Amino acid sequence: MNSFFARKFVVQGIFIVLTAVLITRLFYIQVISDEYILSAENNVIRRLPIYPARGVILDRYEKILVQNEPVYDLMIIPREVKAFDTLEFCKLIGIDLAGFHKRFKKARNYSPYKASIFEKQLSVQIYGSFQEKLSNYPGFFVQNRTVRRYPDSIAAHFLGYIGEVNQKVIEKSKGFYSQGDYHGITGIEKSYEELLRGQRGVQNLMVDALNRPKGNYANGKYDTVAVSGEHMISSLDKELQKFGEQLMHNKIGSIVAIEPSTGEILSFVSSPAYDPNSMVGRKRGNNYMTLLNDKYKPMFVRPIQAEYPPGSIFKVVNALVAQQFRLINENTYFFCPGGYRYGRKGFMGCTHVHGSINLENSITESCNTYYGYAYSRMIDYAGMRPVNGFKRWRKAVSAFGIGTALGIDLPGERNGLLPTDELYTKRFKNNQWGSAYTISLSIGQGELGITPLQMANVMAIVANRGFFYKPHLIKAIGSKKVIKKEYLQKNNAGIDSKYFNVVIDGMSAVVNQPSGTAWYSKIEDIEMCGKTGTVQNPHGKDHSVFVAFAPRDNPKIAIAVIVENAGFGATWSAPIASLMVEKYIKKSISRPQIYVDRIMQANLLPGAIQFSPTSKKITIDNISSTTNTNEKPNRVIRTNE
Amino acid sequence: MNNQRSLFFNVDWFVILTYIVLCMIGWFNIHAAVYDPLNPTILDLDTNYGKQLIFIISAIIIGFTILLLDSKFFTTFSPIFYAITIILLILVLIIGRNVGGNQAWIPVGSFRLQPSEFAKFATCLLLARYLSSGTIKVQEIRTQLVAAFIILLPTVLILLQPDAGSALTFSSLILLLYREGLSGYFLAIEGLSILLFVLTVLYNKLIVLAGIIVVAGIIFYYYRKSKKMIKVTGFGVLFSILFIFSVDYAYNQILKPHQRNRIDLILGKVDDPRGIGYNLNQSKIAIGSGGIFGKGYLQGTQTKYNFVPEQSTDFIFCTVGEEWGFIGCLFVIGLYLFLLIRIINIAERQRSSFARIYGYGVASILFFHVFINIGMTIGLIPVIGIPLPFLSYGGSSLWSFTILLFILLKFDSNRMGII
């Protein structure tokens, strides 16, 4: 009967073999392979970033320039939304019905279970009235976030702005940023991004298959807290900055003021400016496009990006370099017949017939002829071939920080232009050229390009009698007030201090002697030393330049002012500089208000009618009132309508 | 008589103990699968594990009731049981409730009855009765045809639901027939078929054909003196060629896209963990993330948070794998293997061939379920929706496996008695 009894073992054998197959496979996926453990974590753990507060930026007296202000994003979880009065809802947050459906659809498509933003950055008023009725709208809630707020609407170019990261930045950051994060795009916000952004925290949440949160993972063992960004103490003087922006209103140009003893930048005006608050919030995109298309280019950071031939202010540099080369001294006289003859037929005109003129007066009266001779001595009569003379001259000039970026802590600084001998050798097709070929350089014209920052830095060198600190915007970082080492390092300009006296005498006379070019900008009780300049502009009216430092002894401020298309340095730049200096040193203005108002109200934009009666009177109140008017991105445009 | 002194005198307590342990493992894992750590409940009869407790208790009652019945009841009425199941299987096609694409349930009050579950033991009983009657010899073609009919009738009806998984279960009865004398070639053919199927789906059929001819050539060369071997091999080649072409046809023309997808996934032809491969991938992740010792009871995240579909029914093994790890899996599979070996031994110690044949039926069906179900959760076998015996949530399957097992235990307890 049991004839096939042995087959029992075959059947049991099949059972055992196939069971062994199962166990082998289980051993592989459970013990050997760890791919599944990782997949399981990916399945169930969501790492939610906790955003730190971005660092606050303060001025040199620790008054707030940028702070964080809470905004309220309206969030939606589509699945939890129940029927409600849509019309009332729309009215409440100020959208129309079509907009409502559009947003709702978008949120639904994103995820019915996950929260997404329904409307960004509700105003405080809307938030207030909405919060009262929140219980009427299940599925909606309000999430706090912070945005940057600029209480005085000043220093836009200096501070920069932040914006959402793009794909490129995300990829480059190696996982630090993700979609929707903000980062600094320009200004200090960009250059100190790593410190300002702080450290993000992580909350590990468990979610189910439908992405619904199911509590903390491992009781928060692996969670980290967010660390706020460092606050920055900038070198800026808020009041001075505000005053400078008012003075430069309706003008194209820059003001850069430096504290010579530290290299700290006290004022950094780029005009036309824009309200930094316009780069925040719901209308940002439109504002940005308006600014971008503005013909006066308000986004251009003129103090570090605009390059000008410096004009007569360059005489200060040549006077110092020529002395250092011992080719002239305070007793060197040249005869000015109203111009300088060079080469066979060349003639460089001078403002006046100065007759016999010494070094000091050459500065005070800005004598072109004097510098024609001085330059010629440096190049042609330096005891070497003119090309080598030029090389030596160039090296000495570049020690003033001209021709290379100074390394300010802002993105986008330009080098400027200090021509090399190769340039001329190439242009003249041999190296037999001498001073006559490049004579414009003697008076700061020709192939020179100097940024306003570099001009101010030259003044800091003169003020310090021979050295400078790297100009910078951030004085100290964080509560420990850390100062970057490079800002404590003295840079030598290569001119012995004794050579400065005669130049400074001349510069003092520019302002403080009736014969000086800036006599009308003399400040009571302060001995300001300055030099006017007029930059020839082939495209239109000349640019007005004035550089100065004050007081003469123990200088507190070195300044460069450029007003484009404004004519002589003495007419616009010098008064603006003198007001700035007085404001900084005395904290008040001794001159009558009408004098100040005349400058503030002057409209020097190309094409504008000067002193136009229609141009609005800008007062401090009027400017600060732009703080909460996002839709007015640009003061220039508004008053220019 | 002995068995009148105590009703449970000769009952195999090892099997019953294993059975109860498996049921409890199932119950705990169903609890873990539906456990919500945010709203822990003690015992709620509305939840799956609450219901499963009722199913387990009622199954045990059913089991012991069977032990109280006379074993003649099952031999005598086996055609009746078979007839009733066939009628129910026809009925379910007409009045059945369609759940998840399968018309497999007949609503009875608040419960749903799944006739295909009961078809398993009814078919086993009738097959045992037919094969044990007098002069029947399995080697005879006629017997084979009748046996095939008994097996295929419910299979076809279940296929019409269409519940391919349950229908496939009946193919396991070939082990029973093999034990009773069916030629070993049938087993070999089944093995060969599976191999050829996989190869044909994976590779071009011409390559597979070429391979077969090469293998056949080698066999011909080595066994050129053995006429029998040449005959067998020749038959094998002929079968293979026919099979390959029919597989090719069946795979591309007969199988539904979702079935084809499941096969493709297992064979690695497609890789789509978010779409058609979601179930399988999540199932593997759950088990694989368990490691050696598992995450601990109620600590599983993949099953608890609904990443694994059907986590308390067909994919209950995922919870075992995730929370109890490799050790837990080894223990559960060990219990099954012990049970199966024990059932074979029980079957072999029967004096009545009816009981023995039935015993093999029980072992075959249980084994098929265990192997296919676990194999599918770990990606060895295409996803076929059949439950894991005693562990999966569900009354019908638990009761049907209980009845299947306890009828054998009843026969076994009577093995000393007069046939």
Side-chain angles (χ1 to χ4, degrees):
Chain A
M1 185 178 189
N2 274 345
S3 49
F4 295 104
F5 176 76
R7 290 193 171 182
K8 163 193 169 184
F9 299 111
V10 177
V11 173
Q12 287 183 338
I14 291 173
F15 289 175
I16 290 168
V17 167
L18 291 183
T19 306
V21 169
L22 289 183
I23 288 170
T24 313
R25 171 77 176 165
L26 275 169
F27 187 76
Y28 173 72
I29 71 170
Q30 291 193 297
V31 181
I32 295 176
S33 163
D34 55 4
E35 144 197 14
Y36 298 104
I37 294 174
L38 294 176
S39 307
E41 282 181 358
N42 284 341
N43 261 347
V44 80
I45 299 175
R46 290 287 171 281
R47 291 179 178 83
L48 290 188
I50 304 171
Y51 294 98
R54 202 172 167 82
V56 171
I57 302 175
L58 309 169
D59 89 335
R60 63 188 293 109
Y61 306 115
E62 305 195 13
K63 283 187 258 172
I64 285 168
L65 291 172
V66 194
Q67 61 191 5
N68 297 312
E69 196 175 83
V71 288
Y72 308 94
D73 288 342
L74 181 57
M75 309 293 286
I76 181 175
I77 302 173
R79 220 180 109 92
E80 290 173 11
V81 173
K82 304 210 169 71
F84 61 93
D85 188 345
T86 332
L87 217 60
E88 190 199 28
F89 178 88
C90 289
K91 224 192 249 167
L92 210 56
I93 64 167
I95 56 171
D96 59 1
L97 213 57
F100 174 86
H101 289 300
K102 206 179 110 194
R103 288 175 173 84
F104 191 80
K105 214 171 150 191
K106 195 179 152 202
R108 244 201 117 76
N109 287 345
Y110 171 68
S111 163
Y113 302 97
K114 271 204 271 189
S116 56
I117 295 178
F118 189 77
E119 178 71 0
K120 271 184 190 177
Q121 301 186 10
L122 299 180
S123 73
V124 184
Q125 290 84 355
I126 292 176
Y127 168 69
S129 50
F130 187 81
Q131 195 69 359
E132 285 170 25
K133 297 182 180 165
L134 195 63
S135 57
N136 294 353
Y137 310 116
F140 288 94
F141 66 97
V142 175
Q143 195 176 58
N144 278 16
R145 222 156 47 80
T146 58
V147 293
R148 292 303 235 185
R149 183 55 71 189
Y150 309 86
D152 294 279
S153 298
I154 55 165
H157 299 93
F158 174 92
L159 299 168
Y161 56 88
I162 60 172
E164 272 186 49
V165 291
N166 58 29
Q167 204 51 46
K168 239 182 174 169
V169 174
I170 293 173
E171 278 161 25
K172 237 178 130 184
S173 75
K174 287 180 189 143
F176 185 87
Y177 297 112
S178 53
Q179 203 69 49
D181 284 356
Y182 281 77
H183 73 142
I185 294 176
T186 61
I188 288 181
E189 298 275 22
K190 181 182 171 127
S191 46
Y192 289 91
E193 168 68 15
E194 275 85 15
L195 294 166
L196 284 167
R197 69 188 177 191
Q199 224 167 45
R200 213 178 314 169
V202 172
Q203 189 188 10
N204 292 289
L205 268 190
M206 291 199 291
V207 296
D208 70 2
L210 300 173
N211 250 326
R212 288 176 297 206
K214 290 283 175 185
N216 277 331
Y217 174 70
N219 290 324
K221 204 164 98 187
Y222 304 105
D223 295 359
T224 51
V225 290
V227 181
S228 299
E230 300 278 9
H231 64 263
M232 299 280 151
I233 301 168
S234 78
S235 55
L236 214 62
D237 179 329
K238 186 164 113 175
E239 293 307 317
L240 185 68
Q241 176 74 16
K242 201 191 276 180
F243 187 60
E245 291 191 15
Q246 287 164 7
L247 290 170
M248 290 299 284
H249 180 64
N250 272 348
K251 299 161 192 74
I252 300 175
S254 312
I255 302 176
V256 179
I258 300 177
E259 184 178 64
S261 58
T262 56
E264 291 169 8
I265 292 175
L266 304 167
S267 169
F268 189 86
V269 178
S270 179
S271 191
Y274 60 92
D275 184 347
N277 287 307
S278 65
M279 286 291 139
V280 180
R282 291 154 86 170
K283 299 209 166 106
R284 189 199 134 138
N286 289 340
N287 291 341
Y288 181 77
M289 286 321 288
T290 314
L291 289 175
L292 211 60
N293 294 326
D294 190 329
K295 66 173 170 175
Y296 300 126
K297 304 217 179 321
M299 305 290 268
F300 192 47
V301 189
R302 290 186 162 77
I304 55 168
Q305 292 179 335
E307 297 169 12
Y308 306 91
S312 300
I313 61 166
F314 196 64
K315 287 170 184 164
V316 171
V317 176
N318 273 336
L320 289 167
V321 172
Q323 285 188 84
Q324 181 69 30
F325 292 165
R326 293 165 211 265
L327 296 172
I328 59 170
N329 60 42
E330 60 206 85
N331 298 320
T332 307
Y333 282 80
F334 291 111
F335 184 78
C336 170
Y340 171 71
R341 287 182 192 283
Y342 59 93
R344 259 171 285 169
K345 280 182 187 166
F347 183 73
M348 178 170 71
C350 189
T351 49
H352 301 94
V353 178
H354 292 107
S356 186
I357 188 165
N358 67 3
L359 180 54
E360 183 190 327
N361 286 334
S362 75
I363 297 268
T364 314
E365 292 164 32
S366 198
C367 177
N368 289 351
T369 313
Y370 195 95
Y371 290 93
Y373 285 114
Y375 182 70
S376 162
R377 281 195 181 183
M378 288 191 280
I379 306 300
D380 305 333
Y381 304 103
M384 54 184 88
R385 285 181 55 213
V387 175
N388 293 335
F390 181 85
K391 276 185 193 166
R392 187 170 69 142
W393 172 83
R394 186 184 188 278
K395 201 177 158 208
V397 171
S398 69
F400 282 77
I402 292 170
T404 44
L406 286 165
I408 191 178
D409 42 354
L410 274 187
E413 190 193 357
R414 292 262 185 86
N415 283 330
L417 177 67
L418 180 60
T420 57
D421 55 299
E422 284 102 346
L423 178 90
Y424 293 113
T425 302
K426 209 169 155 194
R427 180 181 298 172
F428 303 128
K429 301 198 171 61
N430 62 53
N431 58 3
Q432 305 302 313
W433 47 273
S435 73
Y437 292 75
T438 58
I439 197 69
S440 306
L441 300 177
S442 67
I443 56 162
Q445 305 288 358
E447 295 83 1
L448 278 172
I450 299 187
T451 63
L453 177 72
Q454 287 167 335
M455 295 180 192
N457 190 53
V458 168
M459 275 306 107
I461 292 167
V462 177
N464 287 333
R465 277 81 169 166
F467 64 89
F468 70 97
Y469 293 97
K470 197 187 254 191
H472 55 276
L473 304 172
I474 293 302
K475 217 169 114 102
I477 298 163
S479 39
K480 285 188 193 150
K481 307 207 169 164
V482 178
I483 305 169
K484 281 198 191 171
K485 252 192 194 147
E486 52 180 307
Y487 297 151
L488 295 173
Q489 200 188 327
K490 240 186 209 183
N491 297 287
N492 202 320
I495 307 290
D496 297 344
S497 62
K498 61 183 176 195
Y499 296 126
F500 283 88
N501 292 332
V502 58
V503 173
I504 291 173
D505 284 343
M507 287 174 68
S508 176
V510 166
V511 182
N512 300 304
Q513 297 287 326
S515 62
T517 48
W519 161 248
Y520 293 105
S521 299
K522 177 177 159 50
I523 311 166
E524 236 174 273
D525 306 331
I526 299 172
E527 190 181 351
M528 176 166 80
C529 308
K531 180 77 196 82
T532 56
T534 304
V535 177
Q536 289 170 7
N537 176 15
H539 309 295
K541 213 176 159 193
D542 290 346
H543 304 322
S544 169
V545 182
F546 187 73
V547 293
F549 68 93
R552 174 178 176 144
D553 299 313
N554 224 345
K556 294 261 181 304
I557 181 169
I559 190 166
V561 177
I562 289 207
V563 185
E564 291 187 19
N565 312 303
F568 295 120
T571 40
W572 291 107
S573 294
I576 289 174
S578 81
L579 285 171
M580 290 290 284
V581 168
E582 188 177 14
K583 172 91 179 168
Y584 178 67
I585 294 176
K586 289 206 216 155
K587 311 288 173 209
S588 64
I589 300 294
S590 58
R591 278 160 280 192
Q593 184 63 33
I594 186 152
Y595 178 86
V596 180
D597 287 347
R598 188 191 73 97
I599 294 172
M600 285 186 181
Q601 287 164 27
N603 186 343
L604 300 177
L605 297 173
I609 305 156
Q610 279 194 28
F611 311 118
S612 155
T614 56
S615 88
K616 283 179 200 160
K617 187 182 176 187
I618 302 294
T619 63
I620 294 170
D621 289 336
N622 199 345
I623 285 185
S624 55
S625 74
T626 55
T627 306
N628 39 27
T629 51
N630 283 343
E631 59 279 9
K632 296 171 186 164
N634 189 339
R635 303 198 294 273
V636 173
I637 292 178
R638 184 155 50 85
T639 51
N640 203 28
E641 281 161 353
Chain B
M1 285 207 296
N2 272 350
N3 60 344
Q4 272 166 350
R5 202 179 49 199
S6 162
L7 271 171
F8 304 128
F9 177 70
N10 261 328
V11 169
D12 193 294
W13 288 104
F14 285 114
V15 170
I16 292 184
L17 195 66
T18 314
Y19 162 81
I20 290 175
V21 169
L22 283 170
C23 284
M24 291 323 288
I25 290 174
W27 186 67
F28 278 115
N29 282 299
I30 290 165
H31 179 216
V34 300
Y35 178 73
D36 181 353
L38 295 184
N39 307 296
T41 50
I42 306 300
L43 181 61
D44 185 350
L45 290 184
D46 284 338
T47 60
N48 280 0
Y49 70 96
K51 287 188 196 159
Q52 182 73 359
L53 191 63
I54 297 173
F55 294 148
I56 290 172
I57 292 167
S58 54
I60 292 172
I61 293 169
I62 290 171
F64 283 89
T65 313
I66 287 168
L67 292 181
L68 294 175
L69 294 172
D70 193 325
S71 59
K72 291 240 170 38
F73 174 76
F74 299 105
T75 35
T76 316
F77 289 103
S78 54
I80 310 287
F81 289 139
Y82 188 79
I84 291 172
T85 345
I86 295 299
I87 290 166
L88 283 176
L89 282 174
I90 294 168
L91 214 59
V92 81
L93 291 175
I94 302 162
I95 63 160
R97 174 98 43 94
N98 194 320
V99 177
N102 290 349
Q103 189 137 341
W105 281 271
I106 296 176
V108 180
S110 65
F111 286 104
R112 291 178 310 199
L113 207 64
Q114 202 178 353
S116 54
E117 291 296 337
F118 300 99
K120 290 167 193 166
F121 78 84
T123 308
C124 280
L125 279 177
L126 188 68
L127 203 58
R129 168 154 171 166
Y130 172 66
L131 293 178
S132 63
S133 53
T135 57
I136 293 290
K137 274 200 170 143
V138 177
Q139 293 89 328
E140 287 169 7
I141 289 291
R142 194 175 157 273
T143 316
Q144 289 170 5
L145 285 176
V146 173
F149 179 77
I150 292 171
I151 296 170
L152 284 176
L153 182 59
T155 309
V156 168
L157 287 172
I158 291 168
L159 264 178
L160 287 175
Q161 289 180 356
D163 182 356
S166 297
L168 276 173
T169 310
F170 292 90
S171 70
S172 66
L173 292 174
I174 198 162
L175 282 177
L176 177 157
L177 296 174
Y178 170 73
R179 167 61 184 86
E180 293 309 312
L182 188 71
S183 165
Y185 289 126
F186 283 94
L187 273 189
I189 285 173
E190 194 163 318
L192 185 66
S193 306
I194 294 168
L195 184 71
L196 286 177
F197 180 82
V198 171
L199 290 176
T200 314
V201 171
L202 269 185
Y203 306 105
N204 189 312
K205 56 177 182 276
L206 295 175
I207 295 173
V208 180
L209 272 179
I212 288 165
I213 287 163
V214 169
V215 171
I218 293 166
I219 294 171
F220 274 134
Y221 179 76
Y222 276 101
Y223 294 96
R224 56 188 178 277
K225 301 236 170 77
S226 158
K227 255 198 180 141
K228 191 184 168 208
M229 224 29 227
I230 289 172
K231 221 163 92 185
V232 168
T233 315
F235 176 75
V237 170
L238 194 67
F239 169 81
S240 301
I241 292 169
L242 285 175
F243 187 79
I244 286 166
F245 281 101
S246 53
V247 162
D248 195 51
Y249 176 78
Y251 177 77
N252 289 317
Q253 310 294 329
I254 297 177
L255 282 186
K256 300 204 171 75
H258 76 272
Q259 290 165 328
R260 207 155 47 223
N261 284 340
R262 287 171 179 181
I263 293 167
D264 288 348
L265 273 176
I266 287 297
L267 298 179
K269 268 181 91 175
V270 293
D271 186 23
D272 181 13
R274 295 240 157 253
I276 54 175
Y278 179 81
N279 290 8
L280 180 61
N281 189 46
Q282 293 298 339
S283 163
K284 282 198 283 186
I285 288 173
I287 295 174
S289 65
I292 299 179
F293 300 106
K295 297 175 184 168
Y297 183 51
L298 300 184
Q299 301 301 310
T301 51
Q302 306 305 303
T303 45
K304 203 159 54 189
Y305 295 144
N306 303 326
F307 288 101
V308 181
E310 309 284 337
Q311 73 251 40
S312 50
T313 54
D314 292 349
F315 283 90
I316 189 68
F317 193 72
C318 294
T319 313
V320 179
E322 191 186 8
E323 297 197 343
W324 303 100
F326 182 65
I327 301 294
C329 293
L330 213 56
F331 181 68
V332 170
I333 294 175
L335 282 180
Y336 279 120
L337 189 61
F338 170 77
L339 189 66
L340 290 166
I341 302 283
R342 185 88 193 158
I343 289 172
I344 297 293
N345 287 338
I346 288 173
E348 290 293 348
R349 77 185 179 200
Q350 302 305 312
R351 285 197 286 170
S352 96
S353 52
F354 180 97
R356 184 187 67 238
I357 296 165
Y358 179 76
Y360 267 87
V362 173
S364 310
I365 287 174
L366 276 182
F367 177 73
F368 186 84
H369 278 88
V370 171
F371 181 73
I372 297 292
N373 182 286
I374 296 178
M376 118 190 140
T377 59
I378 57 181
L380 273 180
I381 288 167
V383 174
I384 295 169
I386 57 170
L388 189 59
F390 314 123
L391 260 68
S392 283
Y393 168 77
S396 286
S397 75
L398 181 60
W399 288 340
S400 110
F401 287 121
T402 306
I403 294 168
L404 198 67
L405 186 65
F406 274 75
I407 291 174
L408 177 68
L409 291 179
K410 177 66 199 168
F411 289 141
D412 182 50
S413 69
N414 280 352
R415 69 182 182 273
M416 303 305 182
I418 302 151
I419 301 166

